[in-house]
Every structure is written in structure tokens, then in C-alpha cells.
Amino acid sequence: MVDQMLDLVPEELGSGPGFVDKTFLEPAAGDGNFLLAILHRKLSAIEEQYPAGQWIRESLFALASIYGIELLEDNHQIAKEKMLAEFLQFHRRHGVRCYHRTHVYRAAAFLIDTNIVRGDTLTGLDPSGAPIQFSWWTRVEGDVSLVQRDLFTFNSLRGGAFDFTEYERYSPCRIEHVHREGKARG
């Protein structure tokens, strides 16, 4: 069923321009079946359409475009583990060193932890009662390897406009270094 549903949006998952950055949100992520299938399709398309030297960068941007919310703690953890395993398997299959101390591993884990969150979609709150926050990752114009991170709340999506102005901005950085979280000065 997951594949049949994703077959309805082929351009967003690999056949259309800008597919890597097309955003997906699973508001009831469960143990990650949809998230995993989306990532798998994006990685397959990256492998087919990009030179090998760009796979790490583009696969990290693919991770940055996939969001999920899950209420149950065990499902949330499983979903994140599946996403990381899929990402690492793709790169290890191609001879990329991806272990817990590499930037690739740390960046992937950070993106997944940031984008796959635990909370209640109906209320827009996390388990502590705070608003669910996401990071919006955008490529920096003029340098496709840099990313700009801006925070927004899930509930701002319901109003039709992101609430970027309420939060501190982060400094642009290479996508492989997002786990370092450098904040902008001033």
C-alpha cells in the first residue's frame, strides 16, 4: 500500500526537477514505513541521476526534506533507527565510511533526530507540552553544499505561514556539518 501511494507522486520522489529537496511530512509516522519508503526512493533516484561524488551531499539534503511526527515513544525510536539504517546501508554499499565518529554519520543522525519528532499532531505539542518545532533546511544560493537552518513550529503550518521570525537563526554551514549547530551572531 505504501508503494502504491508513493507511485502517485513520482516527480517528487525522483523523476522531477528538484526532487531531492521536495518536502514530505508524515503526521502519524508510526514505526516509519512511509518515511523509509520515501527515503529509499530518493536515494535510488540520487544514485541514478547524480555522479557518485555528489551522493553524500544530496542524500543528506534528501534526509533534510523528510519530516515525521509520532506520538508513541517506541514507534518514534524505531522510525528513527530505520531511517538511519537505510541511509547508512546506502552509503556503505558504495564503500563510504559511515561509522559513529564520521561527519556523514553524525550529520545524518542529527537530521533524523531533528526532523522525526515525538509529539501529538492534533495538539501540535511535544511530550513536555511545548510546541513541536521543526527545522527548515534550505540550500544557500550560490553554494549548493551549504544549508541554512531556520526553526518553525508545526502549528504555524496550520495558519499557512511559517513563523521563522520567533526563533534564533543558525549560521549557514556545509550539510555534512549540521550536527555542529553553529548559531548566528548578533
Side-chain angles (χ1 to χ4, degrees):
M1 182 187 297
V2 171
D3 284 329
Q4 289 175 346
M5 290 181 76
L6 295 179
D7 286 344
L8 298 173
V9 290
E11 289 188 16
E12 286 79 6
L13 289 168
S15 66
F19 74 89
V20 172
D21 299 316
K22 297 288 183 176
T23 304
F24 287 84
L25 168 64
E26 172 54 71
D31 64 0
N33 290 333
F34 272 101
L35 301 172
L36 188 63
I38 291 165
L39 178 60
H40 179 78
R41 286 185 183 215
K42 284 190 174 209
L43 292 176
S44 295
I46 288 167
E47 184 177 23
E48 292 173 12
Q49 298 181 36
Y50 285 87
Q54 296 177 14
W55 290 354
I56 290 173
R57 179 188 72 215
E58 295 305 316
S59 64
L60 288 169
F61 274 106
L63 273 180
S65 72
I66 302 170
Y67 298 86
I69 301 171
E70 174 51 39
L71 181 62
L72 301 176
E73 185 175 5
D74 56 343
N75 281 346
H76 174 244
Q77 190 59 40
I78 291 167
K80 293 191 322 178
E81 289 170 3
K82 284 180 175 180
M83 292 288 285
L84 184 58
E86 177 75 15
F87 181 88
L88 296 174
Q89 179 184 14
F90 171 80
H91 287 291
R92 288 176 178 155
R93 191 174 69 235
H94 294 96
V96 176
R97 292 173 33 121
C98 303
Y99 58 92
H100 69 282
R101 291 187 181 205
T102 63
H103 287 298
V104 174
Y105 182 101
R106 288 179 177 186
F110 181 80
L111 288 167
I112 292 166
D113 283 344
T114 303
N115 286 12
I116 312 302
V117 300
R118 188 160 164 247
D120 184 341
T121 301
L122 296 177
T123 64
L125 303 176
D126 69 16
S128 73
I132 294 171
Q133 272 192 357
F134 281 120
S135 293
W136 185 251
W137 308 97
T138 53
R139 294 181 195 249
V140 173
E141 193 172 329
D143 189 338
V144 296
S145 66
L146 293 180
V147 65
Q148 174 66 53
R149 177 186 184 192
D150 292 298
L151 300 178
F152 68 97
T153 63
F154 171 68
N155 280 337
S156 73
L157 295 176
R158 296 175 193 198
F162 296 114
D163 62 348
F164 293 132
T165 58
E166 296 181 24
Y167 304 101
E168 189 171 7
R169 290 199 67 173
Y170 289 79
S171 298
C173 67
R174 293 182 57 83
I175 188 77
E176 299 88 18
H177 296 159
V178 294
H179 57 286
R180 293 180 175 175
E181 287 199 78
K183 292 186 180 179
R185 293 191 182 138

